[in-house]
């Protein structure tokens, strides 16, 4: 696992956006897996700025979703489909046909989950998967004690996650769905490169458990330790509980072959 400590969220966003731009320059039709929530917004802003400045041509890039609420009406502004269209697809100048996600309003949710895993595989697999992390250590919506081998499926959100996400629903937890479709941990681990961004002190415990704790389903993000190419980018606040922070700083500063990530 590569751990990169950056001064703040903007620097993290810029670093990851540059890694995504470099990937798209190498592979113009790369399949980019995106996360939602607050954390990745600086990445999307930085990437859109690169596209607008002509620093990268992302017109053939493909976007796929990590997870989705179950039961929100189609077009709900906080459905992750709407969020990804608004925050990623439109700012990059892509159209909806370059974007895939699980169908949270499907009558047969289980079939929609299986279909999504199949669609990801048929698309050639995810080249780079962005991840955030929950305060409870979740990735995607794989809540604590999710199987490390899990596939895309329906999950129940913990109370903590519903509290954390109430800010997107006028602060009203009653409006936060109980159920979601999420790529499983096994599905996520199939992406060629995993990039997790965590910012703010509220993520410090989860980051320390992910990076320095044992691989354990109670901390789903710790599964990144099993991946051959996982990068964890953290700001100083999110890094504040890492015992090895100085070692990570030293390693990153002394790896001249690293270009961006
Ligand atoms: C969202 C997702 C979640 C979030 C996590 C952190 O697609 O998969 O795992 O990344 O809940 O959310 P923020 O960034 O809002 O703190």
């Amino acid at each position: 696992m590569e751990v990169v400590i950056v001064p703040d969220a903007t620097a993290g966003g810029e670093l990851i956006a540059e890694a995504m731009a470099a990937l798209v320059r190498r592979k113009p039709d790369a399949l980019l897996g995106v996360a939602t929530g607050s954390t990745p917004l600086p990445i999307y802003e930085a990437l859109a700025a690169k596209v607008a400045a002509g620093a990268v041509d992302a017109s053939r890039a493909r976007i796929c979703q990590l997870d989705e609420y179950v039961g929100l009406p189609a077009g709900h502004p906080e459905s992750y489909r709407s969020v990804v269209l608004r925050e990623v697809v439109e700012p990059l100048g892509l159209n909806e046909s370059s974007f895939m996600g699980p169908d949270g309003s499907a009558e047969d949710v289980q079939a929609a989950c299986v279909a999504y895993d199949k669609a990801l595989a048929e698309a050639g697999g995810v080249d780079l998967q962005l991840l955030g992390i929950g305060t409870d250590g979740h990735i995607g919506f794989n809540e604590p004690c999710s199987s490390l081998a899990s596939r895309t499926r329906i999950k129940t959100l913990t109370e903590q996650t519903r509290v954390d996400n109430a800010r997107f629903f006028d602060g009203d937890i009653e409006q936060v769905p109980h159920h979601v479709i999420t790529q499983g941990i096994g599905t996520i681990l199939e992406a060629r490169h995993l990039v997790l961004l965590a910012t703010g002190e509220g993520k410090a415990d989860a980051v320390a458990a992910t990076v320095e704790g044992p691989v354990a389903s109670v901390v789903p993000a710790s599964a990144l330790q099993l991946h051959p190419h996982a990068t964890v980018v953290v700001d100083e606040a999110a890094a504040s509980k890492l015992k090895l922070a100085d070692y990570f700083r030293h390693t990153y500063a002394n790896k001249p072959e690293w270009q961006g990530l």
Side-chain angles (χ1 to χ4, degrees):
M1 186 185 280
E2 302 164 326
V3 180
V4 183
I5 301 175
V6 291
D8 53 31
T10 308
E14 176 57 36
L15 187 70
I16 295 172
E18 187 45 43
M20 294 172 82
L23 168 63
V24 170
R25 287 185 202 109
R26 280 197 311 275
K27 184 176 181 184
D29 65 346
L31 182 56
L32 306 172
V34 296
T36 51
S38 307
T39 312
L41 296 179
I43 306 172
Y44 305 142
E45 281 164 26
L47 189 57
K50 287 178 196 300
V51 169
V56 60
D57 175 4
S59 58
R60 290 178 55 205
R62 298 169 297 151
I63 305 293
C64 65
Q65 222 172 302
L66 185 56
D67 40 22
E68 180 59 280
Y69 290 115
V70 170
L72 289 182
H76 188 289
E78 293 308 326
S79 78
Y80 283 169
R81 181 170 188 86
S82 299
V83 172
V84 173
L85 284 171
R86 191 167 66 232
E87 306 290 356
V88 185
V89 175
E90 286 162 15
L92 292 183
L94 302 173
N95 57 41
E96 240 179 296
S97 61
S98 50
F99 168 49
M100 57 201 274
D103 182 358
S105 57
E107 265 184 34
D108 185 343
V109 176
Q110 184 51 33
C113 295
V114 171
Y116 190 52
D117 264 354
K118 189 162 173 266
L120 289 174
E122 284 173 1
V126 178
D127 290 295
L128 184 153
Q129 178 65 56
L130 293 176
L131 298 166
I133 186 169
T135 54
D136 63 1
H138 70 220
I139 47 172
F141 276 133
N142 294 283
E143 296 288 30
C145 296
S146 291
S147 160
L148 301 185
S150 50
R151 312 300 305 174
T152 299
R153 70 216 183 289
I154 190 165
K155 285 292 287 183
T156 302
L157 294 178
T158 61
E159 190 69 2
Q160 185 177 337
T161 298
R162 293 183 66 241
V163 169
D164 289 346
N165 284 8
R167 69 190 192 282
F168 297 112
F169 293 87
D170 303 322
D172 178 9
I173 190 174
E174 295 308 321
Q175 291 183 42
V176 183
H178 285 270
H179 296 110
V180 290
I181 293 176
T182 181
Q183 283 190 34
I185 297 176
T187 315
I188 292 170
L189 290 176
E190 284 172 4
R192 294 179 187 91
H193 186 191
L194 299 179
V195 181
L196 185 150
L197 177 63
T199 53
E201 207 180 338
K203 301 292 174 69
D205 285 320
V207 166
T210 295
V211 173
E212 295 176 346
V215 175
S217 65
V218 74
V219 183
S222 66
L224 267 67
Q225 294 179 33
L226 300 170
H227 195 281
H229 192 188
T231 307
V232 175
V233 179
V234 283
D235 70 357
E236 289 289 347
S240 60
K241 297 199 174 159
L242 286 174
K243 294 194 188 79
L244 291 167
D246 282 341
Y247 170 72
F248 295 135
R249 285 192 190 91
H250 176 80
T251 310
Y252 186 60
N254 289 284
K255 261 189 124 177
E257 74 272 23
W258 282 25
Q259 313 220 328
L261 294 187

